[in-house]
Amino acid sequence: MAASLEAPILGAALTKETLAIQRDWILEKQRDLEIQDFFSSETLDGDWRSVGAEIRRLLDGYTGRLGIHGPFWGFKIDSQDPLIRSVVSKRLLQGLEACEMVGATQMVIHSPFTTWDYNNLDINPGSRHALTERVHLTLKDVVQRAENVGCELVIENIEDKDPTARVLLARSFNSAAVRVSIDTGHAHYAHVSTGAPPVDYYIDAAGDDLAHVHIQDTDGYSDRHWLPGDGSVRWAAVFRALGRLSSKPRLLIEVKDQTNIRRGAAHLEALGLAV
């Protein structure tokens, strides 16, 4: 099936190495792009500016929407320990510094909600409110910096079983700099393995707060990050839900096999869902 004229344009999440390989494909349609070199502590504590300079060189002529994946290894944004919260804030501020250098206008951060939370968070009165308060303490300076530099923070579902909790958390900041991300593979894992709703329910729950989507396929057993078409995500339902939005979220194929990313894009194009 040929893609319709209204089909959305796919982008990709890439490292600087795979950006060099996929550069022509990205630039031909000025596809949305997410750089994935700045989430590790090794990069942020090392010569990250030279990494940023190489990325800027590779992006000469690029005018599309650029973002990065922010730091996430080894922490959660709702820590009860104030010392840990200060470290998390520092890491995320480092991520925003990288955004400024490369000209990114979006940074992915990870949801604090776990499967355990879904079953236990509301058995102790005030626990959900306390979690939100801790996230605000962690992100206070980060959100302010994001607002100042014109960068959105998008909160990605990880273990989230409730599609609405993360949306309400984002709205609680009352800031245009805090919006919602959905990872299709994470949502499908939650659906198959933990009894969460299907992926399209996550999209409908986010509505026009949705600014970012990681497109990846999985079997629902684990976080595969397979190319679209290699797993069991119901792509027609996903793109029907996306078509109900007016927010035009960035659609980024985020897979382990970044060198063959065009094969995943071709699968969605053959279904008439995207180009």
Side-chain angles (χ1 to χ4, degrees), residues 27 33 35 62 76 135 181 211 214 231 256 258:
L27 264 62
L33 176 64
I35 299 298
Y62 179 69
K76 292 173 79 264
V135 173
S181 166
H214 276 153
K256 293 179 179 179
Q258 295 181 2

PDB file of all heavy atoms in Angstrom, residues 27 33 35 62 76 135 181 211 214 231 256 258:
ATOM      1  N   LEU A  27      18.596  14.224   5.982  1.00  0.00           N
ATOM      2  CA  LEU A  27      18.551  15.548   5.368  1.00  0.00           C
ATOM      3  C   LEU A  27      17.589  15.624   4.191  1.00  0.00           C
ATOM      4  O   LEU A  27      17.079  16.707   3.879  1.00  0.00           O
ATOM      5  CB  LEU A  27      19.951  15.978   4.921  1.00  0.00           C
ATOM      6  CG  LEU A  27      20.708  16.874   5.918  1.00  0.00           C
ATOM      7  CD1 LEU A  27      20.952  16.152   7.231  1.00  0.00           C
ATOM      8  CD2 LEU A  27      22.002  17.398   5.326  1.00  0.00           C
ATOM      9  N   LEU A  33      15.153  14.426  14.401  1.00  0.00           N
ATOM     10  CA  LEU A  33      16.360  13.704  14.792  1.00  0.00           C
ATOM     11  C   LEU A  33      16.555  13.812  16.304  1.00  0.00           C
ATOM     12  O   LEU A  33      16.365  14.885  16.887  1.00  0.00           O
ATOM     13  CB  LEU A  33      17.576  14.280  14.065  1.00  0.00           C
ATOM     14  CG  LEU A  33      18.949  13.710  14.423  1.00  0.00           C
ATOM     15  CD1 LEU A  33      19.043  12.230  14.046  1.00  0.00           C
ATOM     16  CD2 LEU A  33      20.042  14.513  13.721  1.00  0.00           C
ATOM     17  N   ILE A  35      19.567  12.879  19.087  1.00  0.00           N
ATOM     18  CA  ILE A  35      20.947  12.453  19.285  1.00  0.00           C
ATOM     19  C   ILE A  35      21.046  11.672  20.592  1.00  0.00           C
ATOM     20  O   ILE A  35      20.558  12.116  21.628  1.00  0.00           O
ATOM     21  CB  ILE A  35      21.889  13.672  19.311  1.00  0.00           C
ATOM     22  CG1 ILE A  35      21.825  14.428  17.970  1.00  0.00           C
ATOM     23  CG2 ILE A  35      23.316  13.242  19.632  1.00  0.00           C
ATOM     24  CD1 ILE A  35      22.278  13.624  16.777  1.00  0.00           C
ATOM     25  N   TYR A  62      21.218  20.994   8.075  1.00  0.00           N
ATOM     26  CA  TYR A  62      20.025  20.429   8.702  1.00  0.00           C
ATOM     27  C   TYR A  62      19.156  21.536   9.291  1.00  0.00           C
ATOM     28  O   TYR A  62      19.633  22.404  10.025  1.00  0.00           O
ATOM     29  CB  TYR A  62      20.422  19.449   9.815  1.00  0.00           C
ATOM     30  CG  TYR A  62      19.249  18.825  10.545  1.00  0.00           C
ATOM     31  CD1 TYR A  62      18.419  17.915   9.894  1.00  0.00           C
ATOM     32  CD2 TYR A  62      18.982  19.137  11.874  1.00  0.00           C
ATOM     33  CE1 TYR A  62      17.347  17.323  10.555  1.00  0.00           C
ATOM     34  CE2 TYR A  62      17.920  18.553  12.547  1.00  0.00           C
ATOM     35  CZ  TYR A  62      17.102  17.653  11.892  1.00  0.00           C
ATOM     36  OH  TYR A  62      16.039  17.081  12.543  1.00  0.00           O
ATOM     37  N   LYS A  76      16.499   7.714  39.308  1.00  0.00           N
ATOM     38  CA  LYS A  76      15.105   8.051  39.018  1.00  0.00           C
ATOM     39  C   LYS A  76      14.875   9.491  39.451  1.00  0.00           C
ATOM     40  O   LYS A  76      15.564   9.994  40.322  1.00  0.00           O
ATOM     41  CB  LYS A  76      14.139   7.119  39.767  1.00  0.00           C
ATOM     42  CG  LYS A  76      14.181   5.680  39.270  1.00  0.00           C
ATOM     43  CD  LYS A  76      13.351   4.760  40.138  1.00  0.00           C
ATOM     44  CE  LYS A  76      11.865   4.857  39.821  1.00  0.00           C
ATOM     45  NZ  LYS A  76      11.118   5.751  40.693  1.00  0.00           N
ATOM     46  N   VAL A 135       9.452  14.850  42.471  1.00  0.00           N
ATOM     47  CA  VAL A 135       9.828  15.129  41.087  1.00  0.00           C
ATOM     48  C   VAL A 135       9.986  16.634  40.872  1.00  0.00           C
ATOM     49  O   VAL A 135      10.931  17.097  40.213  1.00  0.00           O
ATOM     50  CB  VAL A 135       8.804  14.532  40.108  1.00  0.00           C
ATOM     51  CG1 VAL A 135       9.106  14.969  38.679  1.00  0.00           C
ATOM     52  CG2 VAL A 135       8.791  13.014  40.205  1.00  0.00           C
ATOM     53  N   SER A 181       6.202  12.058  26.356  1.00  0.00           N
ATOM     54  CA  SER A 181       6.751  11.159  25.342  1.00  0.00           C
ATOM     55  C   SER A 181       6.131   9.783  25.514  1.00  0.00           C
ATOM     56  O   SER A 181       5.783   9.381  26.626  1.00  0.00           O
ATOM     57  CB  SER A 181       8.272  11.065  25.487  1.00  0.00           C
ATOM     58  OG  SER A 181       8.795   9.983  24.739  1.00  0.00           O
ATOM     59  N   ALA A 211       4.391  15.147  22.629  1.00  0.00           N
ATOM     60  CA  ALA A 211       5.322  15.903  21.788  1.00  0.00           C
ATOM     61  C   ALA A 211       6.403  15.030  21.175  1.00  0.00           C
ATOM     62  O   ALA A 211       7.174  15.513  20.336  1.00  0.00           O
ATOM     63  CB  ALA A 211       5.982  17.017  22.616  1.00  0.00           C
ATOM     64  N   HIS A 214       8.936   7.493  20.607  1.00  0.00           N
ATOM     65  CA  HIS A 214       9.945   6.517  20.198  1.00  0.00           C
ATOM     66  C   HIS A 214       9.220   5.373  19.491  1.00  0.00           C
ATOM     67  O   HIS A 214       8.377   4.696  20.090  1.00  0.00           O
ATOM     68  CB  HIS A 214      10.704   5.971  21.397  1.00  0.00           C
ATOM     69  CG  HIS A 214      11.841   6.828  21.842  1.00  0.00           C
ATOM     70  ND1 HIS A 214      12.314   6.852  23.140  1.00  0.00           N
ATOM     71  CD2 HIS A 214      12.627   7.703  21.151  1.00  0.00           C
ATOM     72  CE1 HIS A 214      13.320   7.696  23.229  1.00  0.00           C
ATOM     73  NE2 HIS A 214      13.530   8.220  22.043  1.00  0.00           N
ATOM     74  N   GLY A 231       8.269  -7.177  15.336  1.00  0.00           N
ATOM     75  CA  GLY A 231       7.585  -7.586  16.550  1.00  0.00           C
ATOM     76  C   GLY A 231       6.083  -7.651  16.348  1.00  0.00           C
ATOM     77  O   GLY A 231       5.609  -7.913  15.236  1.00  0.00           O
ATOM     78  N   LYS A 256      17.891  -0.818  18.195  1.00  0.00           N
ATOM     79  CA  LYS A 256      19.278  -1.241  18.390  1.00  0.00           C
ATOM     80  C   LYS A 256      20.035  -1.288  17.070  1.00  0.00           C
ATOM     81  O   LYS A 256      21.225  -0.978  17.002  1.00  0.00           O
ATOM     82  CB  LYS A 256      19.307  -2.596  19.088  1.00  0.00           C
ATOM     83  CG  LYS A 256      18.801  -2.555  20.516  1.00  0.00           C
ATOM     84  CD  LYS A 256      18.826  -3.925  21.176  1.00  0.00           C
ATOM     85  CE  LYS A 256      18.324  -3.850  22.619  1.00  0.00           C
ATOM     86  NZ  LYS A 256      18.309  -5.187  23.266  1.00  0.00           N
ATOM     87  N   GLN A 258      20.591   0.448  14.329  1.00  0.00           N
ATOM     88  CA  GLN A 258      20.469   1.768  13.707  1.00  0.00           C
ATOM     89  C   GLN A 258      21.011   1.809  12.281  1.00  0.00           C
ATOM     90  O   GLN A 258      20.610   2.676  11.498  1.00  0.00           O
ATOM     91  CB  GLN A 258      21.181   2.818  14.564  1.00  0.00           C
ATOM     92  CG  GLN A 258      20.547   3.020  15.925  1.00  0.00           C
ATOM     93  CD  GLN A 258      21.254   4.079  16.748  1.00  0.00           C
ATOM     94  OE1 GLN A 258      22.210   4.720  16.307  1.00  0.00           O
ATOM     95  NE2 GLN A 258      20.792   4.265  17.981  1.00  0.00           N
TER      96      GLN A 258
END
